[in-house]
Amino acid sequence: MTDSPDGDLTVEGLTKEFVSEAGRLVVLNGAELRMKRGEALAVTGPSGSGKSTLLYILGTLERPTAGHVRLLGEDAFARSDAELARYRNQKIGFIFQDHHLLPQCNVLENVLIPALAGNGAGAAETKRAEELLDRVGLKSRTSHRPGQLSGGERQRTAVCRALINQPVLLLADEPTGNLDRANAEAVGDLLLEMNQQQRTVLICVTHSAELAARFPRRAELVDGRLVEHTKAQQ
């Protein structure tokens, strides 16, 4: 797969409005973004600024009111809901603040869940899962269940799960929010390292100034639009 000259992820005029009895609430107001594989962006902003809404739309979990999200030149929302679910499984990986690992499954099984939901988990997928776990230092923990892992180990497992289907777009929502400083730094290192190795487009929403400062690109959601900081501003 070659890089798109216009960006592997292109966001144009992204708008999201919610209408209630209290009136119309504009959360996103013409947000724009272009990124290529291998790039990493941290998005900051106060609570209620629309960071999670942006991530849900980029992850195709929610449709925008207006605007376009194009991944490798394809309009992500030019699909039925059923087609969109398959597309999401194949193209997008998610990492959340809570790891959401299944307690009854071991580490290896948890990593393979997105593959099971897609085309199935055969020998190739199992080998890839084992290789990912080896890269993040969990080779000896594959048969352990989540309750037997530390918080940092659970989040590293979640990173592997997000990468198992070789996504183009990797979305992280407060990935270090529940971790102590040492584990937060380790997971931050891991995200950026795996982003380079796997050549994903990485977007991380965070309240952590320390984590955001480590990203090569940073943007803030202001009045529903992404305002990217230059290197001089950083």
Side-chain angles (χ1 to χ4, degrees):
M1 242 183 261
T2 58
D3 293 337
S4 166
D6 296 322
D8 295 304
L9 171 69
T10 305
V11 178
E12 298 174 325
L14 200 64
T15 299
K16 183 64 179 182
E17 300 177 358
F18 295 96
V19 180
S20 68
E21 293 180 359
R24 185 169 64 102
L25 175 64
V26 180
V27 179
L28 298 176
N29 188 22
E32 305 268 340
L33 179 65
R34 280 176 173 76
M35 294 182 68
K36 289 185 176 293
R37 284 194 298 252
E39 290 187 327
L41 171 74
V43 178
T44 60
S47 296
S49 62
K51 300 187 303 298
S52 292
T53 299
L54 173 66
L55 219 61
Y56 295 156
I57 293 175
L58 295 180
T60 71
L61 295 168
E62 194 167 322
R63 292 180 182 268
T65 304
H68 298 280
V69 176
R70 293 188 173 89
L71 200 54
L72 300 181
E74 296 181 73
D75 188 339
F77 291 103
R79 292 169 170 79
S80 67
D81 288 345
E83 291 170 335
L84 201 56
R86 287 192 294 272
Y87 177 86
R88 184 185 310 121
N89 176 261
Q90 294 166 2
K91 303 290 186 182
I92 304 171
F94 297 89
I95 303 163
F96 302 100
Q97 180 172 342
D98 294 314
H99 53 79
H100 295 301
L101 300 177
L102 297 182
Q104 70 273 28
C105 296
N106 65 31
V107 165
L108 181 61
E109 291 165 343
N110 267 288
V111 171
L112 285 168
I113 285 170
L116 290 167
N119 297 321
E125 288 76 21
T126 300
K127 181 181 178 183
R128 175 168 171 75
E130 290 172 340
E131 289 173 347
L132 285 168
L133 288 165
D134 188 18
R135 287 181 196 174
V136 304
L138 292 176
K139 183 177 181 180
S140 64
R141 309 289 269 170
T142 57
S143 62
H144 289 65
R145 294 191 177 182
Q148 298 172 295
L149 305 179
S150 69
E153 288 172 332
R154 287 193 287 267
Q155 199 64 318
R156 280 185 273 157
T157 302
V159 171
C160 294
R161 180 185 58 194
L163 291 168
I164 187 63
N165 284 344
Q166 300 178 280
V168 176
L169 177 60
L170 183 61
L171 301 174
D173 189 0
E174 298 286 358
T176 62
N178 287 342
L179 302 176
D180 59 38
R181 180 180 289 273
N183 276 307
E185 289 181 358
V187 169
D189 286 340
L190 177 63
L191 280 174
L192 292 166
E193 178 187 341
M194 297 301 279
N195 174 60
Q196 288 296 305
Q197 288 181 4
Q198 305 294 316
R199 293 195 73 242
T200 63
V201 175
L202 170 61
I203 298 176
C204 176
V205 161
T206 183
H207 281 105
S208 169
E210 292 84 1
L211 178 60
R214 300 167 69 183
F215 275 64
R217 291 178 63 178
R218 290 171 56 194
E220 185 177 3
L221 259 178
V222 179
D223 297 328
R225 297 187 179 188
L226 282 167
V227 178
E228 190 157 356
H229 300 293
T230 65
K231 288 185 178 180
Q233 292 172 317
Q234 295 178 28

